[in-house]
Amino acid sequence: MQGATGGDRAVLDGETYTVTRSISIAAPVEKVWRAITDPEHLSRWFGRTVLCGAGVGAVGTMTFEGHGAVPIRVEAVDAPRSVTYRWNNDDALGILPPDLDESSSTVFTFTLETQKSGTRLTVVESGFERTSDPEANLESHRRGWDLEIDKLVALLREGGR
């Protein structure tokens, strides 16, 4: 059976302006890697993801129901260990820019580690000090990472490929 172990929840650090969540998933690294890098798979648990191109520099959007299309870009890839995305998802601002704005964007990195029981997935989002309301955005994204990673775990538990 695939799933998560423990009650690992996202935590925020107001000094470094980061949100971190780390969780063990009973699924192989290759399966988790597809779920965090392939737009079709990302769309099943995160936001509807459309990318133009592949790999570093690919740009597009991640659309969330009731929220809109968030500009996104792939910043770094070290397959199958880590992938970094940059996005403009400033919840406190209340509007989404049409294009990626590096002066106010945040980055999030997924890191995968092989474990006996499957995969340790860690996501770290940083750069909140550049947003319109760092504290509000930190809290909003902390809750968001709990929700989204829980959806990923549920998808993998159901056998999502």
Side-chain angles (χ1 to χ4, degrees), residues 47-70:
R48 185 172 46 92
T49 305
V50 176
L51 290 173
C52 296
V56 175
V59 295
T61 58
M62 187 172 277
T63 303
F64 298 89
E65 189 174 324
H67 187 67
V70 177

Side-chain angles (χ1 to χ4, degrees), residues 2-140:
Q2 296 172 339
T5 61
D8 308 285
R9 308 316 294 164
V11 295
L12 57 87
D13 184 330
E15 290 183 23
T16 61
Y17 295 99
T18 59
V19 175
T20 303
R21 183 165 186 204
S22 191
I23 192 164
S24 292
I25 302 174
V29 165
E30 297 77 19
K31 193 169 190 175
V32 179
W33 180 253
R34 280 190 306 276
I36 64 171
T37 59
D38 181 279
E40 178 184 339
H41 292 277
L42 278 163
S43 296
R44 291 181 186 164
W45 65 274
F46 205 5
R48 185 172 46 92
T49 305
V50 176
L51 290 173
C52 296
V56 175
V59 295
T61 58
M62 187 172 277
T63 303
F64 298 89
E65 189 174 324
H67 187 67
V70 177
I72 191 166
R73 180 176 65 218
V74 179
E75 294 286 290
V77 177
D78 181 14
R81 291 181 282 282
S82 68
V83 60
T84 300
Y85 298 93
R86 176 179 297 277
W87 66 353
N88 277 105
N89 193 9
D90 188 335
D91 295 331
L93 191 58
I95 58 169
L96 295 169
D99 299 305
L100 195 65
D101 179 356
E102 293 203 27
S103 69
S104 61
S105 60
T106 60
V107 295
F108 59 95
T109 300
F110 291 110
T111 304
L112 305 178
E113 298 174 66
T114 301
Q115 296 182 313
K116 284 185 180 182
S117 61
T119 304
R120 186 77 179 170
L121 169 68
T122 300
V123 61
V124 178
E125 186 174 4
S126 61
F128 290 97
E129 67 276 12
R130 294 188 303 269
T131 66
S132 66
D133 186 339
E135 288 74 23
N137 283 312
L138 278 165
E139 179 55 28
S140 175

